Amino acid sequence: MKRKLLLVALFAAFAMVLSSTVAMAAPILIKFSHVVAENTPKGKMANKFKELVDQRLAGKVEVEVYPNSQLFGDNKVLEAMLLGDVQLAAPSLSKFKKYTKKLQIYDLPFLFKDMKAVECFQQGPKGQELLMSMKNKGLIGLGYLHNGLKQLSANSPLRVPADAKGKKFRIMSSDVLAAQFEAVDAMPLKKPFSEVFTLLQTKAIDGQENTWSNIYSKKFYEVQPYITESNHGVLDYLVVTSVEFWMGLPDDIRTELKKALDEAIAYGNQVAAEKAVADKKKIADSGRSEILTLTDAQRQQWVDVMKPVWKKFEGEIGKDFIDAAVSCN
Ligand code: SIN
C-alpha cells in the first residue's frame, strides 16, 4: 500500500513538472530581416505576417521584424540564415547567385512585358520549380512577392542607350545586371541597398535602377534629377527560409505559418500594385525629379542593345525556363 502511494505521489509530481515545462516552453522565435522601409510592399508584407501570426499562434510563435537593414544587409542575410541567426527574409531575386544561377532569369532585361506576365511565370510550373532551386544548399523559397518593374534614374537625362555611356550605375549583386549595363557601355558597381542614397548624394555614382516604391521610400528621387520610365526589368522577392528551420517545425505550426505567409504575400502584392502608381505620382508631384517617357523608337534602342544579354546566360539559366517566361507575355 505504502509503495502504491509513493508511486502515485511520484507520478503526480512528474505530471506537474511536465505540465509546467510545457506551459513555460518558450515560443518559436522567427526573426524576419529585410532591407527596405516599412512603407513598401515588402515592409508591409512582413508586418502583416507578424500581425497574422500574433493573432493565430500567440504564445507558440513570435515574429520579430527588422526593416531597413537593421539586422542584416542582403549580402549577409543568407549566410546568417544558414547559421540559424535569422529565420525569414525576402531578398530581391537578384541576390541569390551564390546559391543558384537559375534565379538569374528574373534579371534578364525586357524579359517580361508587365507584372501580369511575371505573375504568370512565377505561378506556372517553371516558376514554382525555381522555389526549390536552392534546396541542396539549405534554402527553401516559400513564395514570391512582387515589388514591380524597374526604372532608370540618373543625374542626366537617359533617353537612348548612348546617354548611359561611361556612367556609373549602382546594381544589385547580379552578373546579369552587370552585363546589362556593360551592354550600353556604362560602368556597373555592385553595392548594398543601404549605401545607394549616399552614393547618389555624394555623386560617387551617376545613377541606379529601381522600382517606384524603392525610389520614393529611400528618397533617391531627391538626389536624382531624372528618372526614365523604362520598365526594363523586374524587381521581385523570394521569401526564403532554411531547410533546417522549416523542416524542424511541428507540422501544425508549419501549416499555419505557410497559410499566414500566403495571406501576407497576397496583401503585399496588392500594396505593390498600388504603390507602383501612387509612389510614381508622389515623385512626379514633388518636382524634385523629372520623369522621362520614352518614345517607341527610343525604347526599341534599349531593347536592341540589352536583349543580347539573354544569350550569354541561357546556359546557366536554361532555355526551357526562358521560353516559359516569354510564353507568358
Ligand atoms: C529591395 O527592394 O529589397 C532592395 C532592392 C535593391 O537592392 O535595389
PDB file of all heavy atoms in Angstrom, residues 2-17:
ATOM      1  N   LYS A   2       1.894   1.201   0.918  1.00  0.00           N
ATOM      2  CA  LYS A   2       2.817   2.339   1.048  1.00  0.00           C
ATOM      3  C   LYS A   2       3.528   2.614  -0.288  1.00  0.00           C
ATOM      4  O   LYS A   2       3.688   3.745  -0.718  1.00  0.00           O
ATOM      5  CB  LYS A   2       3.850   2.025   2.128  1.00  0.00           C
ATOM      6  CG  LYS A   2       3.996   3.122   3.146  1.00  0.00           C
ATOM      7  CD  LYS A   2       4.858   2.651   4.251  1.00  0.00           C
ATOM      8  CE  LYS A   2       5.591   3.800   4.844  1.00  0.00           C
ATOM      9  NZ  LYS A   2       6.601   3.323   5.804  1.00  0.00           N
ATOM     10  N   ARG A   3       3.900   1.460  -0.944  1.00  0.00           N
ATOM     11  CA  ARG A   3       4.611   1.561  -2.221  1.00  0.00           C
ATOM     12  C   ARG A   3       3.722   2.184  -3.302  1.00  0.00           C
ATOM     13  O   ARG A   3       4.145   3.009  -4.101  1.00  0.00           O
ATOM     14  CB  ARG A   3       5.035   0.156  -2.666  1.00  0.00           C
ATOM     15  CG  ARG A   3       6.482   0.173  -3.122  1.00  0.00           C
ATOM     16  CD  ARG A   3       6.979  -1.171  -3.455  1.00  0.00           C
ATOM     17  NE  ARG A   3       7.404  -1.087  -4.842  1.00  0.00           N
ATOM     18  CZ  ARG A   3       7.391  -2.058  -5.681  1.00  0.00           C
ATOM     19  NH1 ARG A   3       6.951  -3.239  -5.302  1.00  0.00           N
ATOM     20  NH2 ARG A   3       7.816  -1.889  -6.907  1.00  0.00           N
ATOM     21  N   LYS A   4       2.417   1.777  -3.232  1.00  0.00           N
ATOM     22  CA  LYS A   4       1.453   2.277  -4.212  1.00  0.00           C
ATOM     23  C   LYS A   4       1.296   3.800  -4.061  1.00  0.00           C
ATOM     24  O   LYS A   4       1.312   4.548  -5.036  1.00  0.00           O
ATOM     25  CB  LYS A   4       0.109   1.594  -3.971  1.00  0.00           C
ATOM     26  CG  LYS A   4      -0.616   1.265  -5.250  1.00  0.00           C
ATOM     27  CD  LYS A   4      -1.803   0.419  -4.915  1.00  0.00           C
ATOM     28  CE  LYS A   4      -2.680   0.249  -6.109  1.00  0.00           C
ATOM     29  NZ  LYS A   4      -3.889  -0.472  -5.769  1.00  0.00           N
ATOM     30  N   LEU A   5       1.180   4.241  -2.789  1.00  0.00           N
ATOM     31  CA  LEU A   5       1.013   5.681  -2.517  1.00  0.00           C
ATOM     32  C   LEU A   5       2.209   6.483  -3.017  1.00  0.00           C
ATOM     33  O   LEU A   5       2.088   7.550  -3.607  1.00  0.00           O
ATOM     34  CB  LEU A   5       0.835   5.912  -1.014  1.00  0.00           C
ATOM     35  CG  LEU A   5      -0.592   5.741  -0.491  1.00  0.00           C
ATOM     36  CD1 LEU A   5      -0.625   5.873   1.019  1.00  0.00           C
ATOM     37  CD2 LEU A   5      -1.513   6.801  -1.133  1.00  0.00           C
ATOM     38  N   LEU A   6       3.373   5.887  -2.767  1.00  0.00           N
ATOM     39  CA  LEU A   6       4.612   6.541  -3.192  1.00  0.00           C
ATOM     40  C   LEU A   6       4.640   6.704  -4.715  1.00  0.00           C
ATOM     41  O   LEU A   6       4.992   7.762  -5.252  1.00  0.00           O
ATOM     42  CB  LEU A   6       5.804   5.698  -2.728  1.00  0.00           C
ATOM     43  CG  LEU A   6       7.158   6.390  -2.861  1.00  0.00           C
ATOM     44  CD1 LEU A   6       7.255   7.551  -1.882  1.00  0.00           C
ATOM     45  CD2 LEU A   6       8.277   5.387  -2.616  1.00  0.00           C
ATOM     46  N   LEU A   7       4.214   5.644  -5.394  1.00  0.00           N
ATOM     47  CA  LEU A   7       4.192   5.679  -6.868  1.00  0.00           C
ATOM     48  C   LEU A   7       3.238   6.755  -7.387  1.00  0.00           C
ATOM     49  O   LEU A   7       3.556   7.514  -8.301  1.00  0.00           O
ATOM     50  CB  LEU A   7       3.768   4.320  -7.429  1.00  0.00           C
ATOM     51  CG  LEU A   7       4.898   3.342  -7.684  1.00  0.00           C
ATOM     52  CD1 LEU A   7       4.346   1.996  -8.125  1.00  0.00           C
ATOM     53  CD2 LEU A   7       5.851   3.897  -8.734  1.00  0.00           C
ATOM     54  N   VAL A   8       2.030   6.830  -6.735  1.00  0.00           N
ATOM     55  CA  VAL A   8       1.037   7.835  -7.143  1.00  0.00           C
ATOM     56  C   VAL A   8       1.602   9.235  -6.937  1.00  0.00           C
ATOM     57  O   VAL A   8       1.509  10.116  -7.809  1.00  0.00           O
ATOM     58  CB  VAL A   8      -0.282   7.652  -6.352  1.00  0.00           C
ATOM     59  CG1 VAL A   8      -1.225   8.829  -6.581  1.00  0.00           C
ATOM     60  CG2 VAL A   8      -0.954   6.352  -6.743  1.00  0.00           C
ATOM     61  N   ALA A   9       2.264   9.442  -5.779  1.00  0.00           N
ATOM     62  CA  ALA A   9       2.836  10.759  -5.474  1.00  0.00           C
ATOM     63  C   ALA A   9       3.907  11.124  -6.496  1.00  0.00           C
ATOM     64  O   ALA A   9       3.982  12.252  -6.991  1.00  0.00           O
ATOM     65  CB  ALA A   9       3.419  10.762  -4.066  1.00  0.00           C
ATOM     66  N   LEU A  10       4.738  10.125  -6.830  1.00  0.00           N
ATOM     67  CA  LEU A  10       5.812  10.378  -7.806  1.00  0.00           C
ATOM     68  C   LEU A  10       5.238  10.744  -9.173  1.00  0.00           C
ATOM     69  O   LEU A  10       5.688  11.670  -9.837  1.00  0.00           O
ATOM     70  CB  LEU A  10       6.673   9.111  -7.960  1.00  0.00           C
ATOM     71  CG  LEU A  10       7.873   9.028  -7.032  1.00  0.00           C
ATOM     72  CD1 LEU A  10       8.566   7.675  -7.198  1.00  0.00           C
ATOM     73  CD2 LEU A  10       8.856  10.153  -7.338  1.00  0.00           C
ATOM     74  N   PHE A  11       4.199  10.003  -9.559  1.00  0.00           N
ATOM     75  CA  PHE A  11       3.561  10.235 -10.857  1.00  0.00           C
ATOM     76  C   PHE A  11       2.965  11.656 -10.910  1.00  0.00           C
ATOM     77  O   PHE A  11       3.133  12.394 -11.889  1.00  0.00           O
ATOM     78  CB  PHE A  11       2.461   9.180 -11.095  1.00  0.00           C
ATOM     79  CG  PHE A  11       1.795   9.350 -12.419  1.00  0.00           C
ATOM     80  CD1 PHE A  11       2.439   8.944 -13.602  1.00  0.00           C
ATOM     81  CD2 PHE A  11       0.549   9.945 -12.524  1.00  0.00           C
ATOM     82  CE1 PHE A  11       1.837   9.106 -14.824  1.00  0.00           C
ATOM     83  CE2 PHE A  11      -0.051  10.133 -13.747  1.00  0.00           C
ATOM     84  CZ  PHE A  11       0.588   9.706 -14.910  1.00  0.00           C
ATOM     85  N   ALA A  12       2.290  12.050  -9.775  1.00  0.00           N
ATOM     86  CA  ALA A  12       1.673  13.383  -9.729  1.00  0.00           C
ATOM     87  C   ALA A  12       2.748  14.467  -9.843  1.00  0.00           C
ATOM     88  O   ALA A  12       2.587  15.458 -10.563  1.00  0.00           O
ATOM     89  CB  ALA A  12       0.882  13.537  -8.443  1.00  0.00           C
ATOM     90  N   ALA A  13       3.864  14.259  -9.155  1.00  0.00           N
ATOM     91  CA  ALA A  13       4.945  15.250  -9.187  1.00  0.00           C
ATOM     92  C   ALA A  13       5.503  15.372 -10.605  1.00  0.00           C
ATOM     93  O   ALA A  13       5.734  16.474 -11.119  1.00  0.00           O
ATOM     94  CB  ALA A  13       6.042  14.842  -8.211  1.00  0.00           C
ATOM     95  N   PHE A  14       5.673  14.206 -11.251  1.00  0.00           N
ATOM     96  CA  PHE A  14       6.214  14.193 -12.612  1.00  0.00           C
ATOM     97  C   PHE A  14       5.277  14.946 -13.572  1.00  0.00           C
ATOM     98  O   PHE A  14       5.712  15.773 -14.375  1.00  0.00           O
ATOM     99  CB  PHE A  14       6.389  12.735 -13.062  1.00  0.00           C
ATOM    100  CG  PHE A  14       6.885  12.604 -14.477  1.00  0.00           C
ATOM    101  CD1 PHE A  14       8.189  12.963 -14.815  1.00  0.00           C
ATOM    102  CD2 PHE A  14       6.043  12.145 -15.480  1.00  0.00           C
ATOM    103  CE1 PHE A  14       8.640  12.853 -16.122  1.00  0.00           C
ATOM    104  CE2 PHE A  14       6.486  12.050 -16.789  1.00  0.00           C
ATOM    105  CZ  PHE A  14       7.792  12.397 -17.108  1.00  0.00           C
ATOM    106  N   ALA A  15       3.955  14.675 -13.401  1.00  0.00           N
ATOM    107  CA  ALA A  15       2.954  15.325 -14.266  1.00  0.00           C
ATOM    108  C   ALA A  15       2.983  16.834 -14.085  1.00  0.00           C
ATOM    109  O   ALA A  15       2.877  17.605 -15.033  1.00  0.00           O
ATOM    110  CB  ALA A  15       1.567  14.765 -13.966  1.00  0.00           C
ATOM    111  N   MET A  16       3.153  17.246 -12.775  1.00  0.00           N
ATOM    112  CA  MET A  16       3.191  18.703 -12.507  1.00  0.00           C
ATOM    113  C   MET A  16       4.398  19.363 -13.182  1.00  0.00           C
ATOM    114  O   MET A  16       4.295  20.400 -13.809  1.00  0.00           O
ATOM    115  CB  MET A  16       3.261  18.945 -10.996  1.00  0.00           C
ATOM    116  CG  MET A  16       1.884  19.237 -10.400  1.00  0.00           C
ATOM    117  SD  MET A  16       1.999  19.339  -8.628  1.00  0.00           S
ATOM    118  CE  MET A  16       2.968  20.802  -8.402  1.00  0.00           C
ATOM    119  N   VAL A  17       5.548  18.695 -13.049  1.00  0.00           N
ATOM    120  CA  VAL A  17       6.770  19.246 -13.650  1.00  0.00           C
ATOM    121  C   VAL A  17       6.600  19.336 -15.159  1.00  0.00           C
ATOM    122  O   VAL A  17       6.894  20.350 -15.791  1.00  0.00           O
ATOM    123  CB  VAL A  17       8.005  18.369 -13.299  1.00  0.00           C
ATOM    124  CG1 VAL A  17       9.219  18.795 -14.114  1.00  0.00           C
ATOM    125  CG2 VAL A  17       8.291  18.461 -11.822  1.00  0.00           C
TER     126      VAL A  17
END
